[in-house]
């Protein structure tokens, strides 16, 4: 595989600066392999998954079954629950979605499953610790001890034996704001600004668009580097306006998604989310994402075959972004709108083999 480091001179200026900013040896590999990395036949695909919350966790639980070279890039706009309280009190990044991603990357052995339960454990009390997650406190403690978001998350990953790496998309806490039509039921045609990820996720009315405050947040250099060096980038599933689309609102990260040689998969949800995407069809999810990032091209849109009543409309929406549609059974057999890790892994594996530029990896 042609080394990608020489592409630095052709990158947009802000991406060139970011690539030079990544310290040698900080991406989980020895410093002497940070440059040219020709891929051997049989090597595993380098996959980057973007999102937040339970949607990203489902994707990571599937992807760790098919590659050992996996990076999660996680949104940092959460302002609810334990994360919101820590953010307000200490001025830190919200750790909750980062914690969930680390838990999803834990192995299926006793060590991995024990640590997954520990970091997800929430205290129940009548005091200040009520509903705080152990993993949130651990992550924030390491941030304060080490003074480095990435180094701390890498250390937690090693403790857990995580099958991959977790990175925040930005190193500053972000506020999500949405323009919502009909947020006030008494004024259904009025468009209001709704502030905060937790509020946007459950807002009544129709979300028109979302943006971040600050509106030009810096990306974490290691996240940009991972996207540029990936073979595959997976976006979604997850809360569409509050977990998936925010990645496209970080300019340096969007530039990397546009510039990367990786192929891009958009993984759709199994059902609309009450409030945020109430009544959305699969094709409408694709359309609103395209409106937020009109220069971004996709390669594959993955959907559960049982959730697509109008395949032609979804195909048309995907083709406008340059993508093919892949339908596969990826839902849990119990009928709940949750992805089955084994079925989703099989769907990703098939896509990587059928649509990849290189391979097979195994």
């Amino acid at each position: 595989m042609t080394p990608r480091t020489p592409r630095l001179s052709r990158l947009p200026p802000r991406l060139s600066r970011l690539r030079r900013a990544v310290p040698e040896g900080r991406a989980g590999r020895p410093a002497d392999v940070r440059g040219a990395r020709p891929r051997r036949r049989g090597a595993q695909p380098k996959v980057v998954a973007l999102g937040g919350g339970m949607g990203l966790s489902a994707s990571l639980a599937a992807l760790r079954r098919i590659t050992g070279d996996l990076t999660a890039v996680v949104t940092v706009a959460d302002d609810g629950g334990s994360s919101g309280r820590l953010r307000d009190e200490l001025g830190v990044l919200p750790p909750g979605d980062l914690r969930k991603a680390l838990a999803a990357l834990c192995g299926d052995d006793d060590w991995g499953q024990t640590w997954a339960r520990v970091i997800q454990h929430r205290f129940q009390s009548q005091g200040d610790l009520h509903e705080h997650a152990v993993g949130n406190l651990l992550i924030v403690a390491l941030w304060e001890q080490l003074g480095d978001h990435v180094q701390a998350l890498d250390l937690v990953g090693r403790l857990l034996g995580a099958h991959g790496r977790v990175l925040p998309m930005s190193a500053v806490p972000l506020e999500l704001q949405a323009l919502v039509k009909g947020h006030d039921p008494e004024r259904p045609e009025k468009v209001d600004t709704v502030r905060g990820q937790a509020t946007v996720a459950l807002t009544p009315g129709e979300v028109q668009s979302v943006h971040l405050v600050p509106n030009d947040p810096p990306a974490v250099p290691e996240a940009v580097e991972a996207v540029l060096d990936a073979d595959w980038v997976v976006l979604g599933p997850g809360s569409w306006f509050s977990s998936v689309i925010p990645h496209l609102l970080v300019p340096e990260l969007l530039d990397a998604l546009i510039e990367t040689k990786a192929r891009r998969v958009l993984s759709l949800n199994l059902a609309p989310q009450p409030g945020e995407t109430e009544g959305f069809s699969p094709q409408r999810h694709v359309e609103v994402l395209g409106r937020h990032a009109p220069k971004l091209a996709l390669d594959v849109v993955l959907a559960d075959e049982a959730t697509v009543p109008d395949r032609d409309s979804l195909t048309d929406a995907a083709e406008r972004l340059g993508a093919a549609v892949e339908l596969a059974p990826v839902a849990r057999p119990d009928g709940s709108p949750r992805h089955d890790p084994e079925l989703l892994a099989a769907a990703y594996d098939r896509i990587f083999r059928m649509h990849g530029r290189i391979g097979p990896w195994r």
Side-chain angles (χ1 to χ4, degrees):
M1 186 175 181
T2 303
R4 291 184 179 170
T5 301
R7 292 173 52 231
L8 184 60
S9 62
R10 300 198 299 273
L11 294 176
R14 59 188 170 199
L15 290 191
S16 298
R17 290 195 298 271
L18 276 172
R19 293 203 73 162
R20 294 189 183 102
V22 177
E24 293 296 310
R26 279 282 304 281
R29 297 182 294 273
D32 60 356
V33 298
R34 292 287 299 155
R37 292 181 289 101
R39 190 175 307 284
R40 301 185 304 276
R41 182 174 178 82
Q44 298 180 87
K46 293 176 62 64
V47 181
V48 176
L50 297 90
M54 298 311 297
L56 176 62
S57 296
S59 206
L60 295 175
L63 289 166
R64 70 175 171 82
R65 287 166 161 79
I66 58 175
T67 182
D69 201 336
L70 176 59
T71 301
V73 178
V74 183
T75 185
V76 286
D78 189 9
D79 60 351
S82 171
S83 287
R85 290 160 60 194
L86 291 168
R87 173 177 173 166
D88 290 343
E89 183 174 345
L90 302 174
V92 295
L93 293 181
D97 284 352
L98 297 161
R99 180 200 82 244
K100 292 173 186 174
L102 285 162
L105 290 174
C106 286
D108 294 323
D109 58 356
D110 288 342
W111 180 273
Q113 289 305 294
T114 297
W115 275 110
R117 289 192 299 271
V118 168
I119 65 169
Q120 295 283 55
H121 176 76
R122 290 185 183 273
F123 296 104
Q124 301 297 315
S125 74
Q126 300 300 314
D128 291 341
L129 275 177
H130 181 64
E131 281 297 312
H132 270 307
V134 171
N136 288 356
L137 301 177
L138 174 62
I139 291 168
V140 172
L142 283 168
W143 283 342
E144 292 192 346
Q145 286 286 314
L146 301 177
D148 186 304
H149 294 103
V150 172
Q151 185 182 356
L153 289 167
D154 285 344
L155 186 59
V156 177
R158 290 201 297 275
L159 173 66
L160 273 55
H163 294 247
R165 194 180 194 203
V166 174
L167 299 169
M169 71 178 186
S170 179
V172 298
L174 304 172
E175 180 183 77
L176 186 72
Q177 296 188 359
L179 297 178
V180 182
K181 181 180 178 181
H183 177 67
D184 180 357
E186 300 296 323
R187 307 172 72 182
E189 297 302 315
K190 187 175 183 292
V191 176
D192 292 302
T193 299
V194 175
R195 294 174 172 83
Q197 185 186 56
T199 305
V200 171
L202 298 174
T203 183
E206 179 182 334
V207 178
Q208 306 283 294
S209 65
V210 290
H211 61 278
L212 295 174
V213 177
N215 61 9
D216 190 13
V220 167
E222 290 86 350
V224 171
E225 178 84 357
V227 170
L228 290 172
D229 285 347
D231 296 312
W232 284 91
V233 174
V234 177
L235 189 61
S239 299
W240 216 242
F241 287 106
S242 52
S243 292
V244 177
I245 289 177
H247 291 81
L248 310 180
L249 307 179
V250 178
E252 293 156 343
L253 193 53
L254 177 59
D255 284 348
L257 288 166
I258 293 171
E259 173 68 20
T260 183
K261 297 283 188 189
R263 294 212 162 183
R264 308 165 189 88
V265 180
L266 180 64
S267 188
L268 296 183
N269 294 334
L270 297 172
Q273 181 174 337
E276 186 173 325
T277 53
E278 188 73 48
F280 274 34
S281 63
Q283 57 268 24
R284 190 171 178 190
H285 283 78
V286 177
E287 291 164 355
V288 297
L289 184 136
R291 288 202 299 269
H292 281 82
K295 294 183 180 179
L296 178 65
L298 301 174
D299 293 281
V300 179
V301 173
L302 171 63
D304 185 275
E305 54 191 358
T307 68
V308 182
D310 186 350
R311 180 169 183 173
D312 289 341
S313 293
L314 178 58
T315 299
D316 290 344
E319 287 179 347
R320 286 195 289 272
L321 300 182
V325 172
E326 287 289 339
L327 300 181
V330 294
R332 295 197 179 195
D334 61 7
S336 64
R338 295 183 299 164
H339 287 84
D340 181 278
E342 296 290 347
L343 293 176
L344 187 57
Y348 283 144
D349 192 51
R350 179 172 176 269
I351 288 170
F352 293 172
R353 291 173 182 278
M354 292 185 62
H355 295 270
R357 293 188 178 95
I358 59 175
W361 291 282
R362 292 188 295 165

